[in-house]
Amino acid sequence: EVQLVESGGALVQPGGSLRLSCAASGFTFSSYAMSWVRRAPGKGLEWVSTISGSGGDTYYADSVKGRFTISRDNSKNTLYLQLNTLRDEDTAVYYCAKMDGSGSYCDCWGQGTLVTVSS
Amino acid sequence: QLLLTQSPSASASLGASVKLTCTLSSGHGSNAIAWHQQQPEKGPRYLMKLHSDGSHTKGDGIPDRFLGSSSGAERYLTISSLQSEDEADYYCQTWATAIQVFGGGTKLTVL
């Protein structure tokens, strides 16, 4: 059974930093692209970033480009998201998602971790 | 620009059927999409991948009550024999090189 478990969410001040983790199990982690998707309070799902299975290719939404960094450690079956220069509008639940075999869409999701940016 | 448009809300009675719509922006009418369900206080759940010809591939354990269909640039999710646990937000998703796009979501209320 595929399992994705996020951690690392916290209350952080504007301008601060945070690193989220996603522990994956139940599939060959290195064979699949992975994504981060967030949902802000009262809003819908927003794609944040995607990384290829090897980690060699990364993609970002314009809203986070230059501030967030996606990475993965295939030896630990773990996905990461480094969040820097955080803004109030980054407040959201962040979900880790496994992409399908072609890297096109999310076919499995985690339960999410809450990031609150507030002074 | 690649966009997905969904109605913000829909409602239907317990045991009835409902059809949710996701519309692809101009020039992208042949794109496949994925449908996801998000129940309150839970992570999203992948429902199915839906092609422009109406063929679809469901996720593991998704009941037969959930059906996908297509017409032109519109992609549909029909849920029949509505149950209380179907009350949720439903999102469509599509993709292009280097980007993922989500629709705004439809909040389904089961009366």
Side-chain angles (χ1 to χ4, degrees):
Chain A
E1 179 194 3
V2 174
Q3 284 200 320
L4 301 169
V5 180
E6 302 93 334
S7 61
L11 171 63
V12 61
Q13 291 189 337
S17 297
L18 204 58
R19 189 175 84 157
L20 307 182
S21 299
C22 171
S25 61
F27 63 103
T28 305
F29 183 68
S30 60
S31 295
Y32 293 90
M34 299 291 293
S35 291
W36 288 98
V37 177
R38 67 185 180 184
R39 184 173 185 182
K43 301 206 170 178
L45 297 175
E46 178 191 15
W47 170 69
V48 173
S49 183
T50 299
I51 187 168
S52 62
S54 67
D57 295 302
T58 57
Y59 311 97
Y60 298 93
D62 288 344
S63 57
V64 306
K65 202 171 293 183
R67 300 188 299 122
F68 291 7
T69 302
I70 191 171
S71 62
R72 62 193 297 159
D73 185 336
N74 287 343
S75 69
K76 295 182 178 179
N77 288 354
T78 302
L79 175 71
Y80 302 101
L81 186 67
Q82 177 69 40
L83 293 69
N84 294 333
T85 319
L86 281 161
R87 306 168 179 166
D88 291 349
E89 56 265 33
D90 295 318
T91 294
V93 177
Y94 285 73
Y95 299 100
C96 162
K98 171 187 169 291
M99 305 301 284
D100 78 302
S102 63
S104 298
Y105 60 92
C106 307
D107 68 2
C108 189
W109 298 81
Q111 289 302 298
T113 187
L114 176 62
V115 173
T116 303
V117 184
S118 175
S119 54
Chain B
Q1 189 178 5
L2 180 56
L3 296 171
L4 294 170
T5 302
Q6 298 182 254
S7 296
S9 64
S11 62
S13 299
L14 203 62
S17 295
V18 67
K19 190 174 188 178
L20 308 182
T21 303
C22 171
T23 304
L24 287 149
S25 53
S26 178
H28 301 281
S30 63
N31 280 34
I33 69 156
W35 281 106
H36 305 278
Q37 175 196 61
Q38 187 171 26
Q39 295 172 321
E41 307 305 318
K42 290 190 174 182
R45 177 191 187 193
Y46 164 67
L47 295 176
M48 67 181 70
K49 178 184 180 182
L50 176 61
H51 295 271
S52 58
D53 63 359
S55 62
H56 53 279
T57 307
K58 288 186 191 174
D60 293 341
I62 303 303
D64 293 342
R65 305 186 294 107
F66 290 80
L67 281 177
S69 59
S70 297
S71 177
E74 297 197 325
R75 306 287 179 265
Y76 307 107
L77 175 67
T78 300
I79 312 171
S80 57
S81 303
L82 275 167
Q83 302 179 4
S84 57
E85 60 262 34
D86 297 331
E87 186 159 290
D89 295 322
Y90 291 83
Y91 294 91
C92 51
Q93 177 197 9
T94 194
W95 51 90
T97 303
I99 64 165
Q100 299 285 322
V101 176
F102 285 91
T106 297
K107 183 177 183 61
L108 174 63
T109 301
V110 179
L111 305 171

